[in-house]
Amino acid sequence: MSRLGRTRQARTAEAVARVLTGTVALSVVAVALFIFVYIVYNGIGALDWTFISEVPRDRGREGGILPVIVGTLYVTLTTAALTLPIGVLAGVYLAEYAPRNFTTRAIRLAITNMAGVPSIVYGLFGLAAFVLLAGFGRSIIAAALTLTCMTLPVVITATEEALRQIPQDLRQASLALGATRLRTIYKVVLPAAAPGIITGSILGLARAAGETAPILFTGAVFQMRRLPDGLSSQFMSLPYHIYAQVTSVPGWNRTLVWGTAFVLVAGVSIVSVIAAWWRSVQRRKVKW
Amino acid sequence: MTTPSTPSSGRRLGRTTTRRAAEAVVRAIIYLCGWMAIIILGAIAVFLMWNSLRAVQEAGLVTMLTGTAWYPTSSPGKFGMLPLILGSLFVTGVALAVCVPVGVAAAVFISEFSGRLVKEVMKSIIEFMAAVPSVVYGLIGVAVLIPFVRQFFGLDTGMTALTGGIVLGIMSIPTVISISEDALHAVPAELRQGSAALGNTRWQTTFKVTIPAASSGIFAAVMLGLGRAIGETMAVLMLTGNAAVMPTSIFESVRTMTGTIAAEMGEVVQGGLHYSVLFAVGLVLFTITFAINLAADLVLERQRKRWRR
Amino acid sequence: MVTPVLVSGDGTLVYNGGPVSATVPAVRDEAIDTTGDARGSFSLAGVSVAYGKDLVIEGVDMHIPPQAVTALIGPSGCGKSTLLRCLNRMNDELGNVHIGGTITLDGQSIMGKAMDPVELRMRVGQVFQRPNPFPMSIYDNVAYGPRTQGVRRRGELDGLVEESLKGAALWEEVKKSLKKHAFELSGGQQQRLCIARALATKPEVILMDEPASALDPISTQQIEDTIAELKSSVTIVIVTHNMQQAARISDRTAFMLRESLEEPAHLVEIGDTKKMFTNPDDERTESYITGRFG
C-alpha cells in the first residue's frame, strides 16, 4: 500500500476511535444523567412537611420518614465518632511512625483488602462479633461498629495521603524548637492536614450512610414508632427502608419510596459536594 | 531528669516522668491503631472460620462446595452451594461484559482524547455514580429494567441474572474507569512523544503504546470491578429473583452468594447449622474477593514500581 | 564506597580497628577555653558521623566560642550541614545516623543518653535553608516555642513575641498585623519570622543552615544585619556557600573538605575569619577561598 494510503487509513482509524470511545463516554454520562433525573423526578413530589416530620403508617405506605432520617443520622454520626479517632491515628502511624519493612507492607495490604471485602461479609462479622459475642444485641452501636470496620480504610488512606503532603520542613522546624514528635504531629502536622483528612472522611462516611448490607443483621428494623433513644436502641435507616418497602410490602407506595431514595441520594451528594468544595478552597488558600 | 542550671531553666518545663509516661501511652495507642487494619481483617477471617466450623463438620466442605441442591430449610437441610456460586458467576459475567468494554473505552476517551474541562466533568459524573447507594440502583432496576427485560425478551419474569448483571455492571463502571484512567495517565509522556515522533497518530499511539503499557493497570481495574461485582448485595437481591436452582442461562432467575446470606440470615436460628452454613458461604465469598484484591494489588504495585524507575 | 564502621559500646566510632580520632591528625584549635561564664559554647572532639555504614565526617576537633558568629564553609557535600545538625541532634530524626567522639555544650555532653534531644533543642535553635513558617498566624509562629515549654500566660507570651520579633528586626513591619497568616509575608520576612521563632525559646545558640540562600539580595542584607545584632546575646553557627557572606558576618571560620568520594570529610582549618581570608595556614583553604573569589 502506498504511504499516502496508509496515512489516510490511520486518519480514518483515528476518527473512528475518537467517535467510538466518545460515544461510550457519552453513554456513561447519559446513564448517570438518567439516574439523577429519574430519582429527582420521581422523588421530589414526596417532599413536604408531613413526609419529613411524621412516622411511617400502614407499614410505610402512608405517613412520613422522620424516624428513618433520624436513625440514619444517629448511626452515621456514631460511626463518625468511632472511625475518625481510630482512622486518623492509624493514618498518623503510617505516615509518621511506620518503618519501611515487611510489617508496614502487610498493613497497607490489609487496608486495601479491607476496602474490597464485600459489605455483606462485614454484616456477618458484625453479627458474630458485636451483636452476639460482645453482647450489644441488634443496636445502633453494633451497626455503627460494623460500619466503622468498613469505613476505616477510607479514613486511614485519606489521613495518610493528607499527612504526606505536609512538607518535611515543617516537622523539622517544630522539632528544632524542642517540640516532641507527638507535639509536632498534634500542633503542626495534623492541623495543616485537616482539610484533606476531614473531606476524605466525610466522603467515606457518606458512603457508609447509604450502605444496607452491613446493617441488615446488626440493628436496622422495618418499623419503629418512636425515635431511637440511645446507642442500644434499634433504628430505622434510609437504605434499609427502601429495601424493606420494595421487597416486603405488597403495594408499596411509589411516591414515598422514591422520596426516601431522593432524600438519601440528595443527602449523600450534597454532603460530598460541600466537603470536596471546602477542601479545594482550603487547598487554594495554603500552597506549600 | 536533671537539667543543668541555665539562667532560664526556671521557665523551662522539664520533661517529667509523668509527661514521658503519657507520651509513651499515646504512642502505644497510635501503634495499636496502626495495626488495626490487620487486626480487623484477621478478626473477620477468624470469625468467619469459627462460625463456619459446624457447617464444615456436619455438612462437609466438599459436599457443600460441589452440592447442586440448596434446600436449607428442608429436613434434613441440603446445603449445596454450587447454585449460589454459579448464580454469582452468571451475574458477575454479565456485569463484566457491561463494565469492562464501557469502562475501558470511556477511560481511553477521558485520558487520551479529551480536554481538561471534559475530564473534570467526567470525573464529577463518575463520582456521582459511585456515590449512589446500591439500594438505589436496585430500586431503579426494579422500576425500569425488570419490566424492560421481561417485555423485550418476552420472559415470564424480568428478575433474571441478566437484569442483576446489567445493573451491577453499571455500578462497577466508576471503579473500572477511574483505575484504568489512572493506569493510562501513569504512562510516561516520553513514551507517547516517542511514538508520535515516529509519525504515529494519536490513536495509533494509544493503541500500540499507551494501552499495552497500561495493560497491567487496566487488568487490575477489571479485577477490582470483578471483586466489587461479586461482593455486591443489595442490587442483586432486589433484581435477580433469588431462585436457588442450578442456572442454565442468564434469562433465568438466579440466587447469588451475597443474596443468599442477606435473604436467609434474618430467619435462621443463631448457632444452628443453617446459620453456620451461611457463614461458610461468607467465608467462600471472603476468600474469593480476598484473592482477587490481592492479585489486583500486586499487579498495581508492580506497575507503580515500573514507572517510578 | 562503604567504609566499615562500628559503634563501640561507649558510643565512640571505631573504624579499621581503632578509634576514629586516632587515625587522623587532629587539627588543633587554639581558641579552646573552657573558662568564662558566657553561655553557648560548643566543644567538639574527634567527632565522626556515619550514615549507616558510610563514614561521612571524620575526626572534627573544634571550639565554637560563645556570643560570636562561627561560619562553616566548604564545597557542597563536605558535611557542613551534617555537622551543624550534630549540634542540636537533628540527625537523630533521620535514623541510621551514628555519631562518634564527644560534643559538649557549656562543658556538658550532648551525646547519647547524656542529653535529652528535646531539651537540647530548647537551648539550641535552628533556622533552615528555606523559610518554613508554620501555617498559622505570625503571633502563633513566634509563640510556638514558648508554648512548647509550657508558657501559657498571655502577658508573658506577648512580651516574648514582641522581644523576639524585635530581635529579628521584624517588629516594625508586623506589629499591627500579628494575627495575619504567616504565609502572607514575603520570603525575606518569613525567614526573619523563623529567626524570631527560634529566638523566642531564649536559646543559647542558633544554628543557621544557609539561611539566605533562597532570598534576594535585599532580604539577604537584612538577614545579615540581624545576625550582626544578635551575636551580642547568642552564639551563632552558620553554614554558608557564600564566601563574601562568611567574610562579612563571621568572627571565626571553619573550612571543611571532602577530598574525594572515597574518604570522609574532615576539618581542614579553623581560625579567626580575618586570618582565614587573608593568610590561611593551609594551602587548600587558600585555593578554595581564592578560587571562589577569582
Side-chain angles (χ1 to χ4, degrees):
Chain A
M1 203 196 302
S2 73
R3 186 175 288 185
L4 198 68
R6 216 176 293 157
T7 314
R8 191 178 302 135
Q9 201 189 27
R11 285 232 184 86
T12 319
E14 168 100 14
V16 169
R18 246 172 221 273
V19 170
L20 220 61
T21 55
T23 312
V24 172
L26 206 64
S27 67
V28 173
V29 175
V31 168
L33 215 62
F34 172 78
I35 293 169
F36 178 76
V37 171
Y38 201 77
I39 296 168
V40 174
Y41 176 78
N42 284 293
I44 206 150
L47 291 191
D48 58 24
W49 180 243
T50 324
F51 185 60
I52 55 169
S53 67
E54 283 187 14
V55 298
R57 279 177 285 111
D58 188 20
R59 307 193 75 211
R61 291 187 199 95
E62 299 292 328
I65 56 166
L66 177 68
V68 189
I69 296 173
V70 173
T72 303
L73 288 177
Y74 213 135
V75 172
T76 309
L77 292 177
T78 311
T79 306
L82 292 165
T83 315
L84 281 175
I86 301 174
V88 169
L89 289 182
V92 166
Y93 173 79
L94 285 177
E96 310 283 333
Y97 286 94
R100 283 173 167 270
N101 61 14
F102 176 76
T103 324
T104 306
R105 171 99 182 90
I107 291 176
R108 281 180 210 287
L109 211 59
I111 291 169
T112 44
N113 266 292
M114 269 176 88
V117 171
S119 51
I120 190 78
V121 171
Y122 280 106
L124 285 178
F125 172 65
L127 171 66
F130 305 126
V131 175
L132 299 177
L133 189 76
F136 291 127
R138 296 182 185 217
S139 59
I140 287 178
I141 183 71
L145 282 165
T146 310
L147 289 172
T148 296
C149 294
M150 229 185 88
T151 317
L152 264 182
V154 183
V155 178
I156 296 175
T157 314
T159 305
E160 194 194 348
E161 269 171 22
L163 290 176
R164 290 209 183 281
Q165 279 172 11
I166 307 302
Q168 216 52 35
D169 275 19
L170 282 188
R171 298 182 178 85
Q172 301 258 330
S174 173
L175 291 169
L177 285 165
T180 58
R181 201 111 169 243
L182 271 177
R183 189 177 161 84
T184 300
I185 292 166
Y186 174 63
K187 285 284 179 186
V188 176
V189 184
L190 276 181
I197 296 173
I198 293 170
T199 299
S201 306
I202 288 178
L203 295 179
L205 288 164
R207 196 156 298 172
E211 280 292 342
T212 320
I215 60 173
L216 276 178
F217 335 121
T218 52
V221 289
F222 176 69
Q223 180 84 340
M224 262 177 86
R225 300 221 159 271
R226 56 191 172 78
L227 298 180
D229 54 3
L231 288 178
S232 57
S233 163
Q234 295 186 324
F235 62 97
M236 294 183 79
S237 147
L238 291 165
Y240 183 73
H241 188 69
I242 297 169
Y243 163 69
Q245 289 292 311
V246 173
T247 53
S248 37
V249 178
W252 47 283
N253 185 327
R254 273 186 60 91
T255 314
L256 292 192
V257 171
W258 279 103
T260 312
F262 177 75
V263 170
L264 177 58
V265 172
V268 167
S269 315
I270 290 171
V271 168
S272 306
V273 167
I274 291 176
W277 171 78
W278 181 68
R279 174 171 57 185
S280 72
V281 168
Q282 294 294 317
R283 277 211 184 129
R284 233 170 289 144
K285 237 195 305 193
V286 176
K287 279 240 168 66
W288 301 114
Chain B
M1 184 79 210
T2 55
T3 313
S5 64
T6 54
S8 50
S9 65
R11 185 164 56 74
R12 278 186 184 125
L13 197 76
R15 293 178 70 210
T16 57
T17 324
T18 354
R19 274 176 82 98
R20 280 167 188 276
E23 277 164 16
V25 169
V26 175
R27 210 162 331 141
I29 294 173
I30 290 176
Y31 274 67
L32 181 68
C33 289
W35 283 71
M36 198 55 93
I38 287 188
I39 296 171
I40 292 176
L41 203 62
I44 292 173
V46 168
F47 271 94
L48 288 178
M49 285 192 253
W50 178 253
N51 282 288
S52 314
L53 216 55
R54 181 165 172 197
V56 173
Q57 282 167 348
E58 293 183 24
L61 190 62
V62 178
T63 323
M64 279 194 291
L65 286 177
T66 55
T68 56
W70 179 264
Y71 300 117
T73 48
S74 69
S75 143
K78 288 192 172 162
F79 301 106
M81 288 183 201
L82 216 50
L84 317 181
I85 296 172
L86 283 180
S88 282
L89 286 182
F90 272 54
V91 175
T92 308
V94 174
L96 283 183
V98 172
C99 74
V100 172
V102 172
V104 174
V108 167
F109 179 77
I110 295 172
S111 156
E112 308 295 316
F113 293 129
S114 66
R116 246 191 55 204
L117 183 71
V118 175
K119 225 175 250 190
E120 290 301 316
V121 171
M122 285 299 293
K123 282 210 168 130
S124 313
I125 285 171
I126 291 162
E127 271 165 31
F128 168 75
M129 280 180 79
V132 173
S134 61
V135 73
V136 175
Y137 276 107
L139 181 61
I140 294 170
V142 167
V144 181
L145 206 57
I146 288 182
F148 174 80
V149 167
R150 195 188 58 222
Q151 276 176 2
F152 191 82
F153 295 102
L155 304 170
D156 297 333
T157 169
M159 293 184 160
T160 62
L162 179 71
T163 322
I166 291 173
V167 173
L168 220 50
I170 292 171
M171 291 173 67
S172 306
I173 285 175
T175 311
V176 177
I177 292 185
S178 64
I179 296 180
S180 309
E181 212 263 326
D182 283 349
L184 291 167
H185 191 80
V187 175
E190 301 96 73
L191 231 60
R192 286 168 218 232
Q193 285 158 5
S195 164
L198 290 173
N200 281 319
T201 62
R202 194 75 183 256
W203 167 245
Q204 284 172 324
T205 303
T206 304
F207 194 70
K208 290 192 212 156
V209 178
T210 316
I211 292 181
S215 59
S216 56
I218 295 174
F219 172 74
V222 173
M223 295 296 276
L224 291 176
L226 174 69
R228 169 133 203 225
I230 289 183
E232 170 49 42
T233 309
M234 299 318 292
V236 294
L237 186 59
M238 293 163 81
L239 297 174
T240 57
N242 296 318
V245 291
M246 290 294 281
T248 52
S249 93
I250 55 169
F251 298 105
E252 291 171 13
S253 282
V254 295
R255 164 170 252 189
T256 63
M257 292 185 277
T258 53
T260 306
I261 300 172
E264 295 179 10
M265 188 51 97
E267 291 143 25
V268 300
V269 183
Q270 270 149 24
L273 181 58
H274 189 184
Y275 170 91
S276 180
V277 169
L278 291 181
F279 270 90
V281 175
L283 185 60
V284 172
L285 200 55
F286 179 77
T287 312
I288 294 172
T289 50
F290 191 87
I292 290 172
N293 284 306
L294 202 64
D297 192 66
L298 293 177
V299 169
L300 280 179
E301 182 72 11
R302 216 174 47 196
Q303 180 194 267
R304 240 173 272 141
K305 279 208 185 108
R306 172 137 57 111
W307 298 138
R308 208 187 292 135
R309 170 199 333 228
Chain C
M1 87 144 215
V2 177
T3 314
V5 172
L6 290 167
V7 181
S8 69
D10 59 352
T12 47
L13 276 180
V14 179
Y15 144 77
N16 286 348
V20 171
S21 51
T23 64
V24 284
V27 176
R28 283 301 303 159
D29 185 351
E30 306 298 336
I32 292 182
D33 84 279
T34 44
T35 57
D37 48 15
R39 298 185 300 117
S41 65
F42 275 109
S43 288
L44 287 69
V47 171
S48 301
V49 182
Y51 288 132
K53 287 180 173 172
D54 213 354
L55 193 65
V56 291
I57 297 178
E58 188 173 27
V60 171
D61 286 359
M62 186 190 286
H63 179 68
I64 294 168
Q67 277 134 53
V69 178
T70 301
L72 299 181
I73 62 168
S76 35
C78 73
K80 307 178 297 275
S81 297
T82 304
L83 187 67
L84 192 78
R85 283 198 303 268
C86 289
L87 302 181
N88 64 346
R89 298 272 300 267
M90 285 297 280
N91 281 327
D92 289 21
E93 304 301 327
L94 301 176
N96 209 18
V97 178
H98 307 288
I99 302 171
T102 53
I103 303 174
T104 58
L105 172 58
D106 299 335
Q108 187 203 0
S109 172
I110 63 163
M111 309 283 282
K113 291 229 187 312
M115 172 64 83
D116 178 354
V118 169
E119 287 187 12
L120 173 68
R121 291 174 198 148
M122 293 183 184
R123 296 168 61 188
V124 181
Q126 185 177 355
V127 176
F128 295 81
Q129 195 164 359
R130 283 156 44 92
N132 55 357
F134 299 131
M136 41 181 93
S137 73
I138 294 171
Y139 184 97
D140 288 338
N141 261 281
V142 183
Y144 186 85
R147 281 178 175 148
T148 299
Q149 295 179 358
V151 178
R152 289 279 174 277
R153 284 213 345 270
R154 190 75 198 183
E156 194 179 350
L157 281 176
D158 287 350
L160 276 167
V161 169
E162 180 175 345
E163 193 185 323
S164 308
L165 285 169
K166 279 179 175 160
L170 190 62
W171 175 250
E172 289 305 321
E173 291 159 63
V174 302
K175 65 181 174 188
K176 291 201 181 68
S177 49
L178 292 175
K179 291 281 149 238
K180 216 161 83 171
H181 201 273
F183 286 14
E184 291 174 38
L185 297 174
S186 72
Q189 287 175 321
Q190 287 190 6
Q191 192 63 309
R192 278 179 285 146
L193 177 65
C194 292
I195 295 176
R197 183 175 66 186
L199 285 174
T201 58
K202 300 267 179 194
E204 294 146 42
V205 185
I206 293 189
L207 312 175
M208 298 188 175
D209 191 354
E210 300 187 44
S213 65
L215 303 179
D216 60 86
I218 294 173
S219 303
T220 304
Q221 179 65 46
Q222 285 170 324
I223 299 282
E224 288 182 11
D225 292 347
T226 309
I227 292 172
E229 292 274 321
L230 284 175
K231 73 175 183 187
S232 60
S233 54
V234 54
T235 309
I236 291 172
V237 187
I238 181 168
V239 166
T240 179
H241 264 121
N242 183 330
M243 290 304 107
Q244 293 99 319
Q245 187 173 59
R248 278 196 302 268
I249 62 175
S250 72
D251 302 298
R252 281 166 63 77
T253 299
F255 174 52
M256 292 180 70
L257 192 60
R258 184 172 200 176
E259 311 220 14
S260 72
L261 285 175
E262 281 74 39
E263 50 190 307
H266 62 104
L267 178 65
V268 174
E269 186 175 358
I270 180 168
D272 282 346
T273 299
K274 213 172 282 169
K275 179 171 181 295
M276 289 281 287
F277 278 84
T278 51
N279 184 25
D281 288 336
D282 197 297
E283 61 188 36
R284 288 170 297 182
T285 313
E286 182 162 15
S287 67
Y288 177 67
I289 288 172
T290 53
R292 277 302 177 95
F293 280 129

